[in-house]
Amino acid sequence: MGVVTILNSCSSNTTAADGTALAGDAPAGKKITLGIIPLTDCAPLVIAHEKGIFKKYGLNVEISKEASWANVRDKLLTGELDGAHCLFGMPFSVYTGVSGKAGSEMQIAMMLNNNGQAITLSNDFCGKVGFQNLDGMAAAVSAMGAKKELTFAMTYPGGTHDIWLRYYLAAAGVDQQKVRIITIPPPQMVANMKVGNMDGFCVGEPWNQVAVKQNIGFTHLASQDIWKNHPEKALVVNKQFSEGRREDLKLVMKAVLEASIWLDDLKNRGEAAEIIGRQSYVNAPANEIEARLLGEYDLGCDFGKYTYKDDYMLYHNKGMVNFPRKAYGIWYMNQYVRFGYLKDAPDYKAIADKLILQDLYAEVAKEMGIAVPEDDMQPFTIDIDKSTFDPNSPGAGAPVAKK
């Protein structure tokens, strides 16, 4: 599509603490409340708010900064939030009963980003493993685990960070029955590692970079090293909102798509880092956010620096990012079976059909002149272990975890 004109920032009193709503974009119209967690990939919602794009579409939007993914889940289900920046895996985790009441529906309207998460290890691992290299990880865990129980943290059971962590450990040959995996909200990861509550974690940026800057951990690999251009965050909506205010949801999606296009212009990422780094949003130094937004990783340990050239955090990528693929939902649920969250395979395709509003996204994309990818339900390969997954035969697709 052609260049989208983004409006200048409208004024807003964004002085909220966790769990409180921030100022809306427009006084007119019925309010729409969208939740975020303090992570770099909340940027599409924040930019749409701060640059006046929601207002451009006549929407009265509030951004609500939440304390944890469990808060986001609960408020989406009750309708306290109409929509949210959300872990792609969460709707499937909740619906299947992994992390909520089975059968509870939250719907995926569109994707917000690919890539940009990471595995951070404590400095105790420095010298025992190499950057992007799994060799030595199992031996290090075994040796260190002989002295104490090792603990790794993720952000939500069945969410993206949980699955990246478990997949990474399995690919490294780590027996997950011999380590402890706990749930910690993203903004609390660094503080918990600092006091020795965990030996490694998987979380979104900027918290991996913050850990490096505070010299309490190092980046072992980024999530794009696990699976290049993987699905990460989604715009997830309350079912009643999607059904009762369909046209408003379409306008929200159009505004978010415009913000996503703006974000993928690297010339805008410095400004984006300054905006989302504010206390009312991520509350982290803009320079630490900006570096990894540009793919420039200061890794910590003895690794120096590394630049991701085409697989840094992407928000649009000519529409390849934003299309919600049912195949990816099937893959997530397949991992729940693999890692013991589910005893039996669920009805993969039926659940993906129910929770992913693919037709609505296609309608919005067509109206905006954005191409809709045609690759859904085709086999794809996970980079870290070269495993190919066929969403049409999911029972045969998950590799056996190495012991």
Side-chain angles (χ1 to χ4, degrees):
M1 64 178 289
V3 175
V4 177
T5 301
I6 305 296
L7 300 183
N8 290 330
S9 172
C10 61
S11 62
S12 57
N13 359 334
T14 54
T15 58
D18 284 1
T20 61
L22 307 178
D25 277 291
K30 187 178 178 183
K31 182 177 69 176
I32 297 170
T33 304
L34 303 177
I36 63 165
I37 288 289
L39 290 162
T40 300
D41 49 29
C42 74
L45 301 190
V46 172
I47 294 300
H49 170 78
E50 289 288 339
K51 300 294 286 184
I53 310 174
F54 286 133
K55 182 179 179 181
K56 169 185 170 181
Y57 281 96
L59 297 170
N60 177 11
V61 171
E62 285 185 348
I63 302 295
S64 180
K65 181 177 174 179
E66 301 298 330
S68 70
W69 290 120
N71 281 12
V72 170
R73 173 200 62 201
D74 294 345
K75 290 184 177 183
L76 277 170
L77 289 172
T78 62
E80 189 172 345
L81 292 175
D82 297 303
H85 151 251
C86 195
L87 300 160
F88 174 71
M90 186 187 290
F92 307 106
S93 178
V94 171
Y95 188 86
T96 57
V98 169
S99 66
K101 183 181 177 182
S104 300
E105 293 183 38
M106 301 187 299
Q107 298 177 320
I108 296 173
M110 61 181 286
M111 299 305 299
L112 297 177
N113 74 293
N114 293 162
N115 307 324
Q117 322 300 296
I119 304 286
T120 292
L121 298 179
S122 73
N123 288 328
D124 291 340
F125 281 92
C126 187
K128 298 179 175 68
V129 296
F131 174 58
Q132 297 177 327
N133 191 338
L134 299 182
D135 294 343
M137 183 62 184
V141 169
S142 180
M144 295 167 65
K147 300 176 183 177
K148 67 168 187 173
E149 181 182 44
L150 294 189
T151 299
F152 295 88
M154 47 76 180
T155 64
Y156 184 84
T160 51
H161 307 123
D162 183 23
I163 298 304
W164 306 144
L165 176 63
R166 293 178 186 276
Y167 207 105
Y168 153 84
L169 291 172
V174 174
D175 184 349
Q176 294 175 39
Q177 301 303 312
K178 295 183 179 179
V179 298
R180 184 167 171 245
I181 297 177
I182 62 174
T183 303
I184 299 288
Q188 297 176 24
M189 286 290 188
V190 174
N192 273 274
M193 181 175 276
K194 196 169 188 176
V195 297
N197 287 343
M198 80 268 277
D199 303 282
F201 60 72
C202 182
V203 73
E205 297 300 343
W207 306 115
N208 302 286
Q209 185 64 69
V210 171
V212 170
K213 290 297 185 182
Q214 294 189 12
N215 196 32
I216 64 165
F218 64 92
T219 299
H220 189 200
L221 48 73
S223 54
Q224 52 266 41
D225 297 318
I226 299 173
W227 176 6
K228 182 178 178 179
N229 295 336
H230 63 77
E232 184 50 44
K233 300 303 189 301
L235 175 62
V236 174
V237 295
N238 170 272
K239 184 179 180 182
Q240 287 68 38
F241 176 72
S242 70
E243 293 177 346
R245 299 180 66 183
R246 187 175 186 276
E247 292 306 312
D248 283 345
L249 175 55
K250 286 177 62 178
L251 293 176
V252 168
M253 293 166 68
K254 289 179 180 181
V256 172
L257 279 164
E258 283 200 22
S260 300
I261 292 167
W262 184 88
L263 282 160
D264 263 6
D265 183 340
L266 294 187
K267 295 191 300 293
N268 294 327
R269 293 209 166 180
E271 181 183 354
E274 185 278 321
I275 291 171
I276 65 176
R278 295 171 188 168
Q279 185 176 8
S280 50
Y281 297 124
V282 177
N283 192 24
N287 62 330
E288 294 177 18
I289 296 173
E290 182 182 5
R292 293 205 174 189
L293 268 176
L294 294 171
E296 299 167 358
Y297 283 48
D298 181 1
L299 301 168
C301 190
D302 303 315
F303 297 156
K305 296 184 178 181
Y306 182 86
T307 300
Y308 288 90
K309 296 181 179 178
D310 66 348
D311 53 356
Y312 42 75
M313 193 177 292
L314 297 170
Y315 293 98
H316 183 65
N317 195 19
K318 300 179 181 178
M320 292 300 293
V321 171
N322 308 113
F323 177 57
R325 292 166 176 82
K326 296 177 181 180
Y328 294 168
I330 292 170
W331 182 85
Y332 262 89
M333 289 183 281
N334 187 241
Q335 302 309 301
Y336 299 163
V337 176
R338 175 191 180 189
F339 293 123
Y341 276 131
L342 296 176
K343 183 178 179 181
D344 301 307
D347 191 339
Y348 295 116
K349 184 62 164 56
I351 296 172
D353 287 342
K354 182 185 292 284
L355 300 184
I356 297 179
L357 304 178
Q358 200 172 84
D359 290 344
L360 180 66
Y361 175 82
E363 186 178 325
V364 169
K366 181 178 180 181
E367 290 175 7
M368 294 187 72
I370 295 172
V372 175
E374 298 180 354
D375 60 353
D376 198 10
M377 298 305 293
Q378 295 179 10
F380 53 88
T381 299
I382 308 301
D383 297 278
I384 197 169
D385 62 1
K386 308 303 179 187
S387 171
T388 297
F389 182 79
D390 183 354
N392 299 292
S393 302
V400 176
K402 299 176 184 177
K403 299 295 184 184

